[in-house]
Each structure stands twice: as structure tokens, then as C-alpha cells.
Amino acid sequence: MASEKTLRQLADENDLTLGASITADAFRKYPDDPDVAQTLTREFNAVTTGNALKMGPLRPDRNTYDFEDADAIVNLGVANDLLVRGHTLVWHNQTPGWFYPWDYTDDQLRTFLRDHIHTVAGRYREKVDVWDVVNEAVADDGTMRETAWYDAMGEEYIDLAFQWANEVAPEADLFYNDYGIDEINEKADGVYALLERLIDRGVPIDGVGLQMHAFRAQEYVDPEALGENIRRFKDLGLDVHVTEMDVAYDRENVPENHLEHQAQYYRDILEACLDNGCDTLVTWGVHDTASWLRNYDQTITDDPLLFDEDFDPKPAYFAIKDLLESRV
Ligand code: G3I
């Protein structure tokens, strides 16, 4: 029989940080529809700041910050005793419209990034527990991605970003976060080598985030391969978190009863995570309506999360719950 406990209670009992990202739109701008906040705070013990702390939404112009959305999410988390994960201080994507046309010098960009990190991580030093400091800095072939940050500062921009974050938020855990590194492959090797260099240079990094977006879940990560990868990163002395999980299928190859397949997939990944010393799993949204996949790629399914459009729990919810219950 299904447990009467909430997922949050079971996560707490398993020392699991179980989070979801939310966007400010989803819960603050539609006050008649408070279910995102209700479901989040009842069923999860952590929240990630969706889009609100990315440079694009946060920086309407070069000298201004708009913290309204970010404050709303962070304060919701703090008020409900959720662990708060800030996402993300440095990324090449979702930058403000003025950013790429800006004719900066390398020094200006460095100063800009330092001020950005000091301001943002400093503002939330008492509230954000974990930062995705640098997001997606490695290309799919494992080489360093040629971003504006890399062009201006070389690989040192990563060292600096972690140092600047550590200066103003010394209590926060500081993470490198990326996609497509959930099992050992060319890109994961590149990230591994990068993290090894950072550690050798004394950079204050605490962990690595595996995003874990599964677009074609039948062909995606084998739990054994995930476990091997987690252990490899942990052997570097890093914590490993699953930071943006969702589970989708190629519309031309959707398994019969795909919600059951999805449930088993979530369960297997969480089990591999826990068995290999990864104590954090975050889903990229609370309910399917708010999934980024609704606007991303029409060739894959767009019901990748634990709750459906009506905030009813899906088979994946019960599968995770069952797993956690069995481990209490
Ligand atoms: O807010 C504007 C709106 O004003 C405008 O009318 C509309 C027109 O396109 O765009 C809206 O912005 C969109 C924004 O999401 C908010 O919905 C952007 O176009 C869209 O590009 C943006 O997509 C986000 C994406 O990152 C950007 O790459 C997704 O919501 C977000 O879920 C996704 O999250 C990333 C993680 O940060 C990093 N890992 C991968 C993950 C999925 O791509």
C-alpha cells in the first residue's frame, strides 16, 4: 500500500535532498493558481531558481539588477525550510539582449563578471545553500567551450568565478554543472579533466552537477554507467548531484505505457544515485505544464516530470516514493 507520508518526509528520512526548479511566473504571477508552491513545499525539500537568477532575466541593462523574481523564489524556499539552489552565475546562454552586442574589452568583461558574482552571490549569502557557479563550460567533444568568458579570460574565468563566489558566500557549496556527462563519455572525460585541473589549482569547488535531461529515455543512461561515473567524480573529492532531471521520449518511438517506463527510469536513476553516494536529485520543474520541453522540441514528449497538469502525482512519483520507503 502506498505510504501516507509525503515524498518530502521520505526524502528527509533518507537524507536525500529532493528538489524541483520553479519559475517565478509559475507561482507568483498567477496567484489564483498556487499549486506550484503548495506541491513544491509539501513534496520536496529543495528548490532551484529556474530562470530567475540567470543573467538574462536578472540584468535588464548593464548597470541594473532586477531581483524581483529571484527574491520571490528564494524567499519561498527559505520560508518553507527548503534547501535553495542558485542557478547560475556564469553561462553563455540566456544572456541579456544587450550582452552580445556590447563592445567590451577583456578587462571590462572580467570586471563585469566579478561585480555580477559579488552582487548576486553576496545578496543571497544567507539564503542560497548551493550555487551552480559555472554552467556548461565544456563542449560536446570535451574541449573547452568557446564562450565570451573563455575568449576574454581563457580557462581562468572558471577559477575566478569560483573564487569570487567563495569570497562573498563562503558557506555555500559551489558546483560546476553540465549536461551530457551522466555517464563516462568524451564530454564527461573533458569535464573530469577540467575539474581535476581546478582542484590542482586550489579552486574552491565542492561538487559537480549532472543535469540528467533524458530526451530518449530508452537509450539514455544505464544506472550502472551512472554509478561508475558518480564514483569517478567522487574519487576526485567532489560531491555529485543530479541537478535537472526530466524524462522524455522520441515521439516516433514512445514505449507503450510510457509513464510506467518513466517511473522505472526515475526509480533506477535515484537508486543508482543513492547507492553511489549522490544525495541530491532535482527535477527540472514540478509539474508537466511548466516543463521547458513544452517549448523546446516538438519531436519529443513533453510530460517529463513527477506531477501531471493537474498536479496529480504520476507513476514516477509513486515509484520514487516506493523506493524511498523501502530504504527507510
Ligand atoms: O521570458 C521571455 C518572454 O518574455 C518572451 O516572450 C518569450 C519569447 O520566446 O521568451 C521568454 O523567455 C524564454 C525563457 O525560457 C522563459 O520562458 C526564452 O525564450 C527561452 O529560451 C528560455 O528557455 C530556457 C532555457 O534554459 C534557455 O536555454 C528554459 O526556460 C529553461 O528551462 C532552460 O534551462 C536550462 C538550464 O538553465 C541549464 N540546463 C539546460 C536547461 C534546459 O535547456
Side-chain angles (χ1 to χ4, degrees), residues 21 23 25 50-51 54 57 87-88 91 93-94 135-136 177-179 211 213 215 244 246 284 290-293 295-296:
S21 76
T23 61
D25 284 1
N51 289 323
K54 295 174 182 175
H87 174 86
T88 174
W91 195 20
N93 204 346
Q94 242 177 319
N135 196 40
E136 303 174 4
N177 190 50
D178 215 327
Y179 66 84
Q211 294 186 5
H213 296 286
F215 295 160
E244 305 184 16
D246 47 20
W284 203 239
S291 169
W292 71 292
L293 295 179
N295 304 310
Y296 175 66

Side-chain angles (χ1 to χ4, degrees), residues 88-153:
T88 174
L89 294 168
V90 193
W91 195 20
H92 61 282
N93 204 346
Q94 242 177 319
T95 51
W98 53 263
F99 181 76
Y100 285 113
W102 175 22
D103 186 20
Y104 52 77
T105 65
D106 293 351
D107 277 350
Q108 274 176 313
L109 197 66
R110 182 184 164 119
T111 302
F112 169 80
L113 187 61
R114 189 195 63 211
D115 291 348
H116 179 82
I117 292 175
H118 276 172
T119 303
V120 179
R123 178 184 183 87
Y124 296 112
R125 65 185 297 155
E126 306 292 335
K127 296 183 172 180
V128 167
D129 303 284
V130 186
W131 275 106
D132 292 332
V133 177
V134 176
N135 196 40
E136 303 174 4
V138 172
D140 292 353
D141 66 359
T143 60
M144 293 304 295
R145 190 188 288 277
E146 300 213 358
T147 66
W149 316 112
Y150 186 79
D151 288 347
M153 290 169 264

